[in-house]
Amino acid sequence: MGNLYLLRHAKAGWAAPGVRDFDRPLDATGIADAAATGVAMRACGYVPELTLCSNARRARETLEGIASHADTGRVIFTDDLYVSDAAGYLDKIREHGRYETLLVIGHNPMMEDLAMAVSGTGDEAALHTLHTGFPTSGLAVIRFPGSLSEAQLGRGHLEAFLTPADL
């Protein structure tokens, strides 16, 4: 069985003049939400063996906030999660599917598209929340019947979907 945690980076400020989108930092809300997500992950027992994290500053800062309160396992930073679409995200997950639990920290619309595409079934409340949008610091918890290296569209079960409003 494979467990996938999809986390959209925490809330970031708008880019200041001369600052690339890639380099946008978290704002005060994002910093607090990232820490709260880490606390919630620890309380729920969501412990990834591996974290794949976008190299964008706001994703890296989200990871820092989580890691100050929860175990994030081994971490790999990758630009692929900044430039890929949902299919690219799924390819990255399959590539690291030898791990039973995987946390992916990335961006929208890829997170929302991927979570909806792989979640064939799920907790009714979690599915409802997911279908209303994937907010910053949103965490989708998806279980697959086999290895994540064989994760397929519609084969995941959305067990939970945590948002900052829940924390």
Side-chain angles (χ1 to χ4, degrees):
M1 187 176 309
N3 292 303
L4 177 62
Y5 308 122
L6 296 177
L7 177 66
R8 182 177 175 195
H9 64 77
K11 187 171 175 22
W14 293 105
V19 175
R20 300 179 310 158
D21 177 73
F22 188 84
D23 296 322
R24 290 190 301 135
L26 296 184
D27 64 14
T29 299
I31 292 167
D33 287 349
T37 300
V39 170
M41 288 179 68
R42 184 183 68 234
C44 293
Y46 299 152
V47 181
E49 293 176 77
L50 177 71
T51 295
L52 299 175
C53 184
S54 166
N55 248 335
R57 180 175 176 182
R58 58 193 178 273
R60 288 183 286 120
E61 288 180 355
T62 299
L63 174 64
E64 290 172 13
I66 290 167
S68 64
H69 297 282
D71 186 359
T72 57
R74 181 174 167 234
V75 177
I76 297 175
F77 294 99
T78 176
D79 288 338
D80 292 342
L81 295 176
Y82 183 75
V83 298
S84 294
D85 59 10
Y89 273 48
L90 185 55
D91 287 344
K92 210 61 167 157
I93 290 161
R94 288 175 179 150
E95 178 185 334
H96 293 90
R98 66 187 173 279
Y99 295 93
E100 289 184 23
T101 55
L102 184 63
L103 169 63
V104 179
I105 303 174
H107 308 271
N108 243 11
M110 294 72 80
M111 293 306 245
E112 183 173 344
D113 292 347
L114 180 60
M116 291 193 347
V118 298
S119 298
T121 62
D123 174 84
E124 189 174 317
L127 286 168
H128 174 75
T129 302
L130 174 61
H131 287 280
T132 63
F134 205 119
T136 54
S137 296
L139 176 69
V141 179
I142 305 167
R143 178 177 34 86
F144 287 88
S147 165
L148 291 175
S149 62
E150 299 172 2
Q152 296 179 17
L153 301 179
R155 298 282 306 188
H157 178 84
L158 182 66
E159 290 186 349
F161 186 64
L162 305 177
T163 69
D166 303 320
L167 309 177

